[in-house]
Amino acid sequence: MQAIEIKPGIYWVGAIDWSLRNFHGYTTSRGSSYNAYLIIDEKITLIDTVKAPFRDELISRISSVIPPEKIDYIVSNHVEPDHSGCLDFLIHHCCPNATIVTSTPQGLKGLTARYGDLPYKAVKTGDSFSIGKRTLQFVATPMLHWPDSMVTYCPEEKILFSNDAFGQHLASNQRFDDENDLHTVMEEAKKYYANILMLYGKQAQSALEALSKLDIEIIAVGHGVMWRSHILDIIAAYEKWSEGELEDSAVVVFDTMWESTRKIADAIADAFTEKGIRVHFHDLRVAPFSDVITDILTSKYLAVGSPTLNNQMLPPVAGFLCYLKGFVPKGRKAFAFGSYGWGGQSIAQIDAELKAAGCDIILDPIRIANIPTEKDLADIREKIKNL
């Protein structure tokens, strides 16, 4: 458990969670990391901690550089326990003389509620202090993705300790973007933004504006791998995602009982393809919600389907729509579809949920009794063609 030096006197001392497969309902098929950073200066500073079960990794990596009791400051960029989970233990067992630096008022309020009365130093946007030959500057980034969130910048080293911004749920024993497959890193960064930050596009734009004034050589993220060779790429991607820029693509998502709704989904996908529109096709029997949301992030069209069971839509579709509604995907051109045996209530329910999520309904619900005929499927393709 050795620290990794990322610049002279600055070390990654976090933990890698190879086994993580779920984060708040977000499927993390490539694991994750909880990143913490140690700065050796006149005032030794730890930037963030790790999730509590990984505290031994954190302490071991710190101890490979200095005794933990020498730490003077612990900067807590975010209250959530995957970042702050070791604060109480560190103060009481490892770093008795350390001061915890947190945002005011929300960071101070949140940490106190979780860990009680510890030695806190509250900071706000524009505040800074010297730790020796280096300075730490603070910028509040509220709702990226909690009210307390902030980032820390070291101008002498041109490092932005970015907390949840620009991160990925990605486990890797290589710490930088250029040491990993860039397509994989960007894919996981998009998935992270879609499932953690999509709701907060306006706040992300405000944060990007504030950070645009900084000279950055390394983005030291809270999860995943750090950015040094593709900083402009990830910032450009965040600008696109936060502005809600949509591509000419469609997401078709459904569950099916006896394959009739699947046949409708196939016809819809074929029709979009004939129009030259890329299709992301998701069967909820096998597709994680978080993968579907990742495609919805940049797609213009959304079609959601289910047969009717006990006067309701199938439970996976209901669960997906609940998950979707939390992101308020405004601007998507959406419609509902499905088959039914006698009642057919599910299709109207999906239509109502899409409206409640903020989507623009562009077709009346497509309701097909029993098994769709070739004429039914041809009519569906014609409707899509004429959108």
Side-chain angles (χ1 to χ4, degrees):
M1 300 296 179
Q2 295 292 307
I4 297 174
E5 193 169 34
I6 61 174
K7 273 200 169 188
I10 302 179
Y11 299 84
W12 176 84
V13 291
I16 303 173
D17 191 346
W18 298 98
S19 301
L20 184 73
R21 290 296 178 269
N22 189 282
F23 186 86
H24 309 336
Y26 162 178
T27 302
T28 52
S29 57
R30 292 187 171 108
S32 193
S33 67
Y34 313 111
N35 298 334
Y37 304 93
L38 184 68
I39 304 174
I40 304 302
D41 211 317
E42 292 175 21
K43 296 292 185 181
I44 296 173
T45 302
L46 178 66
I47 308 287
D48 288 320
T49 72
V50 302
K51 197 174 180 179
F54 295 85
R55 73 185 187 196
D56 289 345
E57 287 193 36
L58 173 70
I59 293 165
S60 177
R61 289 193 167 100
I62 292 171
S63 299
S64 72
V65 181
I66 51 101
E69 60 266 25
K70 291 188 175 181
I71 292 175
D72 297 288
Y73 290 113
I74 303 174
V75 176
S76 180
N77 280 326
H78 184 22
V79 169
E80 200 168 7
D82 54 326
H83 299 262
S84 71
C86 295
L87 281 177
D88 185 61
F89 182 84
L90 288 174
I91 293 296
H92 288 109
H93 299 280
C94 303
C95 318
N97 300 313
T99 298
I100 299 169
V101 181
T102 185
S103 65
T104 184
Q106 296 292 348
L108 188 60
K109 178 181 177 181
L111 292 181
T112 302
R114 286 184 177 274
Y115 307 114
D117 189 16
L118 298 177
Y120 299 116
K121 177 182 176 67
V123 295
K124 61 185 184 303
T125 294
D127 286 351
S128 65
F129 60 80
S130 172
I131 58 171
K133 62 183 181 181
R134 301 179 181 91
T135 306
L136 299 181
Q137 300 175 354
F138 305 96
V139 180
T141 55
M143 299 318 301
L144 285 184
H145 62 126
W146 277 23
D148 64 281
S149 298
M150 71 175 184
V151 299
T152 302
Y153 177 63
C154 179
E156 294 82 7
E157 301 289 355
K158 300 181 181 180
I159 298 180
L160 177 68
F161 299 96
S162 68
N163 184 15
D164 278 327
F166 311 114
Q168 329 92 45
H169 279 311
L170 174 63
S172 173
N173 61 352
Q174 304 295 324
R175 299 270 42 92
F176 285 99
D177 55 346
D178 51 26
E179 298 173 324
N180 292 268
D181 176 69
L182 180 60
H183 175 78
T184 298
V185 177
M186 290 298 295
E187 181 181 71
E188 291 299 331
K190 179 181 180 182
K191 185 176 181 180
Y192 190 93
Y193 184 94
N195 287 273
I196 300 291
L197 300 174
M198 178 164 53
L199 178 60
Y200 307 113
K202 289 183 179 179
Q203 291 88 343
Q205 289 177 328
S206 296
L208 289 168
E209 174 62 25
L211 300 180
S212 68
K213 303 175 179 64
L214 304 180
D215 186 6
I216 301 171
E217 289 184 356
I218 293 177
I219 300 177
V221 294
H223 298 288
V225 298
M226 291 174 276
W227 301 92
R228 65 180 176 190
S229 295
H230 301 282
I231 290 173
L232 295 180
D233 295 319
I234 188 60
I235 289 176
Y238 262 59
E239 289 173 345
K240 173 184 174 181
W241 299 333
S242 65
E243 290 169 1
E245 183 180 329
L246 301 179
E247 300 169 356
D248 213 21
S249 60
V251 177
V252 179
V253 55
F254 67 96
D255 195 355
T256 192
M257 191 183 299
W258 295 111
E259 303 305 315
S260 291
T261 300
R262 169 64 182 257
K263 290 179 180 178
I264 300 171
D266 286 336
I268 292 168
D270 288 346
F272 274 122
T273 300
E274 289 170 9
K275 285 173 66 69
I277 294 172
R278 181 185 179 188
V279 174
H280 304 282
F281 195 80
H282 292 284
D283 181 341
L284 287 175
R285 293 174 295 183
V286 294
F289 295 170
S290 50
D291 289 356
V292 184
I293 294 297
T294 304
D295 288 332
I296 289 173
L297 174 66
T298 51
S299 292
K300 184 183 296 183
Y301 300 99
L302 172 61
V304 181
S306 173
T308 299
L309 174 68
N310 299 329
N311 303 318
Q312 302 292 323
M313 65 188 93
L314 289 180
V317 179
F320 165 72
L321 288 169
C322 176
Y323 191 70
L324 172 73
K325 193 156 57 173
F327 298 108
V328 194
K330 293 180 179 179
R332 274 67 178 183
K333 300 179 183 300
F335 61 92
F337 66 91
S339 63
Y340 64 98
W342 55 91
Q345 296 92 334
S346 63
I347 302 98
Q349 292 165 2
I350 294 170
D351 182 69
E353 288 296 291
L354 290 171
K355 291 175 182 174
C359 297
D360 299 328
I361 304 302
I362 55 170
L363 279 180
D364 291 335
I366 297 172
R367 301 173 76 252
I368 304 295
N370 300 306
I371 301 171
T373 65
E374 286 303 317
K375 182 180 184 307
D376 290 330
L377 298 177
D379 288 345
I380 291 167
R381 286 191 287 267
E382 187 67 17
K383 288 179 180 179
I384 304 301
K385 178 181 176 181
N386 292 328
L387 282 177

